[in-house]
Amino acid sequence: MCGIVGYVGPQPALEVVVDGLKRLEYRGYDSAGVAVLADGRMDTEKRAGKLANLKAALAETPRSADGIGIGHTRWATHGAPTDVNAHPHVDNDNRVAVIHNGIIENFASLRLELEERGCKFTSETDTEVAAHLLGEELKRQGEDLAAAMRAVCRRLEGAFTLVAMYAGDPDLVVAARRNSPLVVGRGDGENFLASDVAAFIAHTRDAVELGQDQVVELRRDSVAVTDYDGNPAPVREYHVDWDASAAEKGGYDYFMLKEIVEQPQAVADTLLGRVGVDGTLTLDEMRLAPSELRDIEKIVIIACGTSYHAGLIAKYAIEHWCRIPCEVEVASEFRYRDPILNRQTMVIAISQSGESMDTLMAVRYAREQRARVLAICNVNGSTIPRESDGVLYTHAGPEVGVAATKTFLTQLVACYLVGLYLAQMRNLKFGDEINAVIEQLANMPQQVEKVLGTVAPVRELARSLADSETVLFLGRHVGYPVALEGALKLKELAYMHAEAFAAGELKHGPIALIEDGLPVVVVVPSREGRGVLHDKIVSNIQEIRARGARTIVIAEEGDETVRPFADELIGIPAVPTLLQPVVATVPLQVFACELALAKGNDVDQPRNLAKSVTVE
Ligand code: F6R
């Protein structure tokens, strides 16, 4: 949510910053802006709409730039996405420019106070208060931008990453963070700042992770980090294990298309190195002692959106394999209902970005209640894993498309691994039983590959439904969260009404929605293992078909029992029931993506959304 870039170095600052913004545009894309210093003068340009609008404006007025610059791509919170509300914002003397990600909660009282002192506001944003406060503090702090930033941050409430530059120092960018992401890229004679390493990965893979409530002073040859009181602060340095090409489209028209195709590799990478030669699982990023794992009496999974759907599926696997009661809750609701947590509760926080504010706040609440928190996350060094007791990283690589695809499949794999690991640590399963599931998991990349090889008819079907107003999704058991995920993908990408139901619930009300020709996608469980469920859903298909639904059935290849009731049949490989979501989700991703493309939508940057939701 909002992408931030800062640069100090010998390269043309404007180019570096705009290129960084291009790589961060998935974080927010309703307006964009930059500030550079041109011969000691603050020069800003900002435009509503996508980055292309800013680029066009920049091309109209070529500008010189000294070696520093900052840039921002916005997801609006305060004030509509207009040129004026776009970042950067400047103080009344046009000496300081500021960009911001997050929400300054006490901005209204600060704005009033500043206006009383004669300050003139030009935008409706909360960010502008930071620009004016910095302008005032600079004078008070002897033109020391870092000291001014520390003083301002001490006054702000809420979540923010702030990045500022000042006309009086052409070798300095200063940034601060609280509850919002910020990472430094260390180069040779140049340094970078961004919300995400993707912004500078083409220049350096050496990163520095900033902690909570820290201020960084970035110069060409130095990176100095302090807390808000000016004391030197510890930081963690790390090397990014993917390169710029991983964050390119690689010949695809959209990142989402590429990311769907990357799923077999992503699943394989998430399994890699986690199974010892003797078959035992070693999840050594879990900083939880075996005794702590044995003490767990209850598991609570918290997550949002697609990650929440991964959690719903994890519940089936964990309860089945470990016999530990497992609850799954939407993170934004969790801490407001007074949940019962204690030292024997393990909270699993699933978050692709590791930055979702709702999940982060739920993690903090859980830790305050003394629960042990394990994060499942795709972004190394992000806030949620840093604040958790343990972390299991998914190795999906960078996901740029706003809709989660490969990160979802890898979250499933990570959840299965946690379930098996707990079963192993608590001696709930024999080694050979665990090995058998691991082998099935190891086979999943091939199975996903197989699905990808057979989705051409799904694309055709999707295009034929581009004019539908509603699509319903049904599932049972693990197929229900898969149905929820299919509906979410369709909503966010195709802007269509899509709803999912547990197939058994249909007759309790939603069946009234069925009318002639209404497309209903049904995820059919495997016939093996859960035969009863299979037969029940076949009855459900007949019930909706009898009422006129156009049935689109996703079932195991060779499952002839569903054929007579399927207007469209999508075959998926036969895999064990609990693992079926890994294969059953893929056609639904393709379906939503293709249908959205047929409607002319941008599947990488759907309207109103942002990849990483860093506000509550
Ligand atoms: C949907 C999607 C979102 C995210 C949700 C949580 O395609 O991407 O629903 O799953 O915003 O994000 P993370 O996993 O980063 O916490």
Side-chain angles (χ1 to χ4, degrees):
M1 196 145 282
C2 296
I4 276 180
V5 185
Y7 176 69
V8 189
Q11 300 190 57
L14 200 53
E15 277 169 39
V16 175
V17 168
V18 173
D19 185 59
L21 288 181
K22 188 168 134 260
R23 293 171 189 279
L24 291 190
E25 207 184 3
Y26 68 89
R27 298 182 68 90
Y29 35 82
D30 59 37
S31 50
V34 290
V36 289
L37 278 189
D39 305 323
R41 192 178 50 83
M42 189 66 74
D43 187 7
T44 53
E45 187 71 79
K46 42 200 209 168
R47 282 290 183 277
K50 293 204 174 173
L51 188 58
N53 296 359
L54 174 69
K55 281 186 176 171
L58 289 170
E60 263 171 34
T61 332
R63 53 226 323 142
S64 66
D66 300 339
I68 63 170
I70 59 178
H72 187 265
T73 174
R74 180 170 186 242
W75 186 87
T77 57
H78 293 64
T82 59
D83 288 356
V84 168
N85 287 333
H87 302 207
H89 292 282
V90 293
D91 69 330
N92 284 157
D93 298 330
N94 196 33
R95 293 200 312 154
V96 188
V98 181
I99 53 178
H100 166 222
N101 173 21
I103 292 179
I104 298 170
E105 284 169 4
N106 56 339
F107 92 99
S109 58
L110 290 170
R111 180 170 176 144
L112 214 61
E113 180 192 312
L114 283 156
E115 281 173 336
E116 276 166 12
R117 287 202 291 270
C119 211
K120 295 276 173 287
F121 278 76
T122 53
S123 78
E124 302 154 273
T125 64
D126 52 342
T127 308
E128 200 182 337
V129 298
H132 295 304
L133 286 172
L134 272 171
E136 286 188 347
E137 280 299 335
L138 250 183
K139 292 175 194 155
R140 243 179 247 142
Q141 308 283 341
E143 307 293 297
D144 178 340
L145 183 62
M149 179 67 92
R150 288 191 281 268
V152 170
C153 287
R154 289 195 294 266
R155 298 209 55 201
L156 302 183
E157 288 165 18
F160 50 84
T161 299
L162 288 170
V163 181
M165 51 188 263
Y166 149 59
D169 194 337
D171 182 39
L172 175 67
V173 171
V174 169
R177 77 170 285 263
R178 169 179 292 163
N179 292 336
S180 263
L182 180 63
V183 53
V184 170
R186 267 191 197 279
D188 190 7
E190 60 182 352
N191 286 305
F192 306 80
L193 270 172
S195 334
D196 182 327
V197 294
F200 54 70
I201 195 78
H203 304 279
T204 177
R205 289 163 70 179
D206 293 323
V208 181
E209 190 182 289
L210 288 199
Q212 181 72 338
D213 288 1
Q214 292 184 348
V215 170
V216 58
E217 276 177 77
L218 204 74
R219 296 185 179 277
R220 283 184 185 215
D221 295 313
S222 66
V223 174
V225 183
T226 64
D227 61 20
Y228 286 174
D229 294 321
N231 306 305
V235 289
R236 187 180 81 96
E237 309 220 3
Y238 65 101
H239 189 70
V240 183
D241 60 4
W242 48 271
D243 63 16
S245 65
E248 305 280 355
K249 284 188 192 151
Y252 289 87
D253 288 341
Y254 290 93
F255 280 106
M256 185 176 179
L257 293 170
K258 172 176 170 249
E259 287 158 4
I260 288 175
V261 169
E262 283 173 344
Q263 294 187 110
Q265 190 60 51
V267 167
D269 288 347
T270 300
L271 286 165
L272 199 72
R274 265 141 187 180
V275 188
V277 272
D278 60 350
T280 52
L281 282 167
T282 42
L283 306 181
D284 46 9
E285 302 104 317
M286 273 180 72
R287 300 179 291 267
L288 290 163
S291 60
E292 291 180 295
L293 295 174
R294 281 193 283 270
D295 285 350
I296 291 164
E297 288 171 1
K298 180 172 84 166
I299 292 176
V300 181
I301 301 179
I302 48 173
C304 312
T306 290
S307 301
Y308 169 69
H309 298 155
L312 290 175
I313 293 164
K315 173 184 164 76
Y316 289 90
I318 291 173
E319 289 192 338
H320 181 73
W321 290 331
C322 310
R323 312 305 298 152
I324 306 173
C326 182
E327 298 166 14
V328 191
E329 185 149 354
V330 168
S332 54
E333 291 293 322
F334 179 67
R335 68 188 171 122
Y336 301 106
R337 68 161 174 94
D338 202 8
I340 301 164
L341 305 170
N342 58 33
R343 202 82 193 114
Q344 279 70 49
T345 312
M346 178 155 108
V347 169
I348 302 179
I350 308 178
S351 173
Q352 177 282 129
S353 60
E355 300 291 349
S356 287
M357 186 58 76
D358 290 319
T359 311
L360 175 61
M361 289 302 164
V363 164
R364 288 188 182 156
Y365 179 85
R367 294 202 72 204
E368 276 161 27
Q369 306 299 311
R370 304 184 67 239
R372 292 149 163 123
V373 179
L374 169 69
I376 292 180
C377 184
N378 194 48
V379 179
N380 193 309
S382 51
T383 310
I384 290 170
R386 271 212 322 265
E387 297 200 12
S388 299
D389 297 297
V391 51
L392 179 59
Y393 282 111
T394 51
H395 294 294
E399 187 176 70
V400 181
V402 161
T405 51
K406 60 176 179 169
T407 55
F408 176 68
L409 256 56
T410 57
Q411 284 170 346
L412 294 180
V413 171
C415 289
Y416 295 136
L417 288 174
V418 170
L420 293 172
Y421 186 64
L422 286 171
Q424 175 184 289
M425 298 309 289
R426 294 159 72 102
N427 291 323
L428 294 167
K429 278 198 169 298
F430 293 114
D432 59 339
E433 289 175 307
I434 292 181
N435 289 349
V437 186
I438 297 278
E439 265 173 43
Q440 289 156 351
L441 273 174
N443 200 23
M444 293 319 274
Q446 285 99 294
Q447 305 291 19
V448 175
E449 197 75 68
K450 237 193 243 174
V451 180
L452 289 170
T454 57
V455 286
V458 177
R459 292 211 172 90
E460 206 176 305
L461 172 68
R463 287 193 292 269
S464 76
L465 292 174
D467 293 327
S468 305
E469 286 184 354
T470 295
V471 179
L472 299 186
F473 292 77
L474 302 180
R476 276 183 183 261
H477 193 258
V478 288
Y480 172 46
V482 171
L484 287 168
E485 177 59 9
L488 176 62
K489 285 286 152 302
L490 203 56
K491 278 183 258 204
E492 67 180 324
L493 296 168
Y495 320 147
M496 278 172 75
H497 175 233
E499 251 189 285
F501 304 100
E505 269 296 291
L506 205 66
K507 57 190 175 296
H508 298 288
I511 199 162
L513 291 169
I514 307 289
E515 57 187 17
D516 223 23
L518 182 85
V520 183
V521 179
V522 188
V523 184
V524 177
S526 160
R527 271 175 308 171
E528 302 299 321
R530 298 286 191 291
V532 186
L533 285 173
H534 175 273
D535 296 350
K536 289 211 188 313
I537 211 161
V538 174
S539 307
N540 298 140
I541 299 172
Q542 294 180 60
E543 287 155 15
I544 55 168
R545 203 154 183 263
R547 288 161 178 82
R550 177 177 175 190
T551 56
I552 301 163
V553 177
I554 300 181
E556 275 181 11
E557 277 152 9
D559 182 353
E560 290 304 319
T561 55
V562 291
R563 190 172 290 277
F565 319 110
D567 293 312
E568 312 289 341
L569 187 58
I570 300 170
I572 51 172
V575 300
T577 304
L578 285 169
L579 308 190
Q580 198 200 45
V582 179
V583 287
T585 307
V586 178
L588 297 181
Q589 297 168 339
V590 172
F591 178 75
C593 183
E594 193 66 27
L595 204 153
L597 289 173
K599 292 180 88 169
N601 297 354
D602 179 344
V603 291
D604 283 345
Q605 296 177 354
R607 71 182 182 200
N608 303 337
L609 295 177
K611 181 86 182 151
S612 175
V613 186
T614 52
V615 293
E616 269 188 281

